[in-house]
Amino acid sequence: MLIGAGANYCAMLFLVTDTVRLEFVEPKVAIAQMKMLQQTFATYQELKEQGKIKFAYAFADSPGGIIILDVASNEELQQVLFLLPSMPLVQRIVRPLTEIKSVEGVVTELETIVSSMPNPEQKS
């Protein structure tokens, strides 16, 4: 069962972009890092089965990828991200997402506000 699932569940969507930091390291360290990445992929599968990962894609041109996480809170987001085995190997950018409908509502509200503003070219 999903944490926070039920009548009070409020989805919070986040776009997580990971870029793998590439450094020349000794072979033993490189192998350990590859195992960490493999463990991350296994964790992705578990999170996908739990409904926490909506999409996961790798970059075709460089090491890294994106996932879209669906979590109940910022605390859950932090917990998921910090427990990923790849944490020390990536540069991570996290962006909150919202539905386009929300943006449409804001634009409509802004249009109303702007249209009610006084026009500086009109003289009273």
Side-chain angles (χ1 to χ4, degrees):
M1 181 162 162
L2 292 174
I3 296 173
N8 295 329
Y9 178 71
C10 179
M12 296 179 71
L13 299 175
F14 294 91
L15 172 66
V16 179
T17 305
D18 284 348
T19 304
V20 178
R21 295 182 193 143
L22 293 177
E23 298 176 13
F24 289 102
V25 293
E26 62 182 82
K28 287 181 183 179
V29 173
I31 290 170
Q33 290 176 342
M34 285 183 247
K35 287 184 181 193
M36 292 170 76
L37 291 172
Q38 289 173 334
Q39 290 171 344
T40 298
F41 298 146
T43 303
Y44 281 178
Q45 187 58 41
E46 292 172 15
L47 291 169
K48 195 167 189 172
E49 290 168 5
Q50 295 172 13
K52 295 191 184 304
I53 289 185
K54 296 298 180 190
F55 299 98
Y57 294 97
F59 297 136
D61 64 343
S62 61
I66 63 166
I67 58 174
I68 294 182
L69 284 173
D70 181 355
V71 293
S73 65
N74 287 328
E75 290 78 14
E76 185 180 6
L77 171 70
Q78 184 179 36
Q79 180 183 21
V80 167
L81 294 178
F82 274 73
L83 293 178
L84 287 174
S86 61
M87 178 70 174
L89 304 176
V90 297
Q91 177 180 350
R92 179 168 287 145
I93 299 171
V94 180
R95 308 230 18 217
L97 300 174
T98 188
E99 296 285 332
I100 292 294
K101 289 179 185 178
S102 299
V103 177
E104 289 173 350
V106 170
V107 169
T108 301
E109 190 174 336
L110 282 173
E111 184 179 27
T112 303
I113 292 169
V114 170
S115 66
S116 67
M117 295 173 83
N119 187 344
E121 294 177 6
Q122 292 178 342
K123 296 181 180 179
S124 303

